Amino acid sequence: MDRKGILFVISGPSGVGKGTVKDAVLERIKDMRLSISVTTRAPRQGELNGREYFFAGEQEFQDLIEKDQFLEWADVYSHKYGTPRDFVMKNLQSGLDVLIEIDIQGALKVKSRMPDGVFIFIAPPSTKELQSRLCGRGKDSQESIIERLASCEKEMEHMKYYDYVVVNDVVKKAADQIEAIVMAERCKVKNIKIEVI
Ligand code: ADP
Ligand code: 5GP
């Protein structure tokens, strides 16, 4: 039976482990297509253009906005990030599932445009643990960590707009739960293309 492509959106507060959990999910679900975002932030050590992100200048990003190339875009902690529309739409139309990992404001914009998507909120086990992860990954300044923790409180209020919540206490457990969500969504009758005989 042919299936419709399903859009899966993973989001949650900064430092909760979205990127880590996303990698674990992609390791298991090989036929899931990952949407690579465009960003104006500089590449970090080890990041490759077209693998983690498409890195763009401010003007290039602005041109993409004006050409309506983004499904959504947002300012996230001083840099712009956008989800390329064509990649998502083409894969879904071909019956392939697409995973996007974006911040909460981006996820809510996608939901307003694509309400059939499956929205998964990754929640921290506690604020203390979130703080320890933000400090532990060593990517953010003290000031930026304080800003992210303050945003987290407000961001948790948006959980109610999502279809699922997965608490990332242990990565394997979170990935197990997301895998179960993906498999269940794939079995939904509304996602099967029923041929008219
Ligand atoms: P996000 O993409 O949400 O900003 P990351 O994936 O960068 O978060 O994770 C933030 C930090 O927390 C990283 O150092 C990562 O290794 C760590 N981390 C992620 N998930 C867990 C977990 N379940 N337990 C402990 N540490 C975790
Ligand atoms: P980082 O710069 O640490 O890779 O990502 C910073 C934040 O931007 C993360 O919360 C990540 O989920 C979010 N992000 C990445 N790509 C996109 C995107 O295309 N759109 C939006 N709205 N957020 C994104």
Side-chain angles (χ1 to χ4, degrees):
M1 266 186 287
D2 280 350
R3 254 193 335 103
K4 293 177 192 163
I6 308 169
L7 177 65
F8 292 93
V9 180
I10 288 183
S11 80
S14 177
V16 73
K18 300 182 293 295
T20 309
V21 169
K22 171 204 74 187
D23 289 344
V25 169
L26 290 172
E27 268 300 304
R28 292 155 180 236
I29 310 179
K30 298 287 183 194
D31 56 353
M32 178 74 82
R33 297 286 183 275
L34 174 69
S35 164
I36 313 282
S37 297
V38 181
T39 183
T40 58
R41 86 148 161 76
R44 296 189 185 116
Q45 204 177 7
E47 286 184 337
L48 281 181
N49 190 34
R51 189 179 65 187
E52 280 79 13
Y53 286 104
F54 294 106
F55 296 99
E58 288 288 343
Q59 187 55 53
E60 199 183 337
F61 197 95
Q62 194 56 41
D63 290 346
L64 292 170
I65 296 174
E66 278 159 26
K67 290 182 190 145
D68 199 22
Q69 294 291 303
F70 292 126
L71 180 58
E72 63 73 40
W73 70 271
D75 264 305
V76 188
Y77 300 113
S78 319
H79 298 291
K80 293 192 180 74
Y81 294 82
T83 305
R85 181 195 299 281
D86 275 6
F87 176 88
V88 173
M89 301 318 285
K90 282 185 182 147
N91 278 291
L92 293 178
Q93 278 153 14
S94 312
L96 296 165
D97 295 341
V98 176
L99 179 66
I100 63 182
E101 184 249 291
I102 55 178
D103 85 318
I104 291 169
Q105 39 172 343
L108 297 180
K109 286 182 203 163
V110 174
K111 190 176 163 81
S112 69
R113 284 158 208 175
M114 305 196 64
D116 284 345
V118 178
F119 294 82
I120 306 170
F121 190 96
I122 311 291
S126 66
T127 310
K128 196 160 169 271
E129 176 61 22
L130 183 65
Q131 182 173 8
S132 136
R133 285 183 196 173
L134 283 166
C135 295
R137 78 175 168 183
K139 269 186 347 192
D140 312 291
S141 63
Q142 190 60 30
E143 198 181 56
S144 163
I145 291 175
I146 292 167
E147 187 187 6
R148 283 160 205 252
L149 288 170
S151 301
C152 175
E153 269 189 48
K154 283 181 241 131
E155 288 173 335
M156 293 299 286
E157 290 170 18
H158 296 304
M159 196 166 80
K160 57 179 176 283
Y161 301 115
Y162 286 69
D163 300 300
Y164 297 96
V165 58
V166 168
V167 177
N168 177 25
D169 46 5
V170 176
V171 176
K172 184 189 172 304
K173 203 172 112 198
D176 283 345
Q177 291 181 354
I178 295 176
E179 190 177 14
I181 292 166
V182 171
M183 296 311 150
E185 290 290 334
R186 286 180 173 184
C187 294
K188 279 191 172 165
V189 174
K190 70 165 190 173
N191 289 326
I192 306 293
K193 277 190 191 158
I194 300 170
E195 303 294 328
V196 179
I197 302 168

